């Protein structure tokens, strides 16, 4: 049986929730910020260690739903090795992508890689913030104001 694309994405989310990458404290972190989603009760803290502009390490801690944990786990993998500027523009691309209607292709999609697994929230706007929360914390940690909602 061939899994549908959306069930494949579902599995990626469940997998990252069950076995999150880079979960726990970060020794010698240089940047950190927390974000809270009162709608769902998600809390996430993102910690980074930068060498100059380059993100050497990214880890997260927090309590939240499967979506927020999976998104945080995907975030740590996606931003490691990028510059702060690249990471914040990735956060912006993801936020734009997740607010487009389901089934549409956007120019932001291409560089997102595994992050497209979060696209299920396009069908459930109430859950969108679960997926974007860790990215809000990332932008705050890097000193960028989150966009107005
Ligand atoms: Zn949530």
């Amino acid at each position: 049986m061939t899994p549908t694309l959306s069930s494949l994405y579902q599995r990626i989310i469940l997998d990252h929730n069950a076995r999150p990458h880079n979960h726990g404290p970060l020794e010698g972190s240089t940047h950190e910020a927390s974000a809270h989603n009162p709608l769902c009760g998600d809390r996430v803290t993102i910690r980074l260690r930068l060498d100059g502009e380059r993100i050497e390490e990214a880890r997260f801690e927090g309590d939240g739903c499967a979506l927020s944990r999976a998104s945080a786990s995907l975030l740590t993998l996606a931003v490691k090795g990028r510059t702060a500027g690249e990471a914040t523009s990735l956060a912006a691309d993801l936020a734009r992508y997740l607010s487009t209607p389901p089934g549409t292709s956007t120019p932001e999609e291409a560089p997102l890689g595994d992050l497209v697994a979060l696209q299920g929230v396009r069908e459930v706007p109430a859950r969108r913030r679960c997926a974007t929360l860790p990215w809000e914390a990332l932008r705050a940690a890097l000193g960028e104001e989150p966009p107005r909602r």
Side-chain angles (χ1 to χ4, degrees), residues 37 39-42 64-68 127 129-131 133:
N37 172 13
L39 287 177
C40 181
D42 309 316
C65 65
L67 251 174
S68 69
R127 299 296 303 283
R129 186 122 190 258
C130 298
L133 193 72

Side-chain angles (χ1 to χ4, degrees), residues 22 48 54-59 74-83 87:
N22 304 306
L48 308 169
R54 185 79 47 191
I55 299 171
E56 277 190 334
E57 280 294 338
R59 295 177 69 81
L74 285 161
L75 177 153
T76 61
L77 297 177
V79 302
K80 217 193 261 195
R82 290 186 196 249
T83 65

Side-chain angles (χ1 to χ4, degrees), residues 6-96:
S6 78
S7 75
L8 173 70
Y9 289 147
Q10 186 78 15
R11 207 169 55 219
I12 293 174
I13 300 299
L14 294 176
D15 237 49
H16 274 273
N17 174 52
R19 285 177 296 280
H21 295 257
N22 304 306
H23 182 258
L26 172 58
E27 190 107 352
S29 69
T30 57
H31 294 65
E32 79 167 75
S34 302
H36 174 221
N37 172 13
L39 287 177
C40 181
D42 309 316
R43 288 175 192 279
V44 64
T45 300
I46 298 290
R47 292 193 182 86
L48 308 169
R49 192 170 68 232
L50 268 72
D51 179 19
E53 274 294 291
R54 185 79 47 191
I55 299 171
E56 277 190 334
E57 280 294 338
R59 295 177 69 81
F60 82 99
E61 279 188 291
D63 268 322
C65 65
L67 251 174
S68 69
R69 283 167 60 87
S71 183
S73 173
L74 285 161
L75 177 153
T76 61
L77 297 177
V79 302
K80 217 193 261 195
R82 290 186 196 249
T83 65
E86 287 165 352
T88 50
S89 82
L90 184 67
D93 283 351
L94 180 69
R96 271 198 299 274

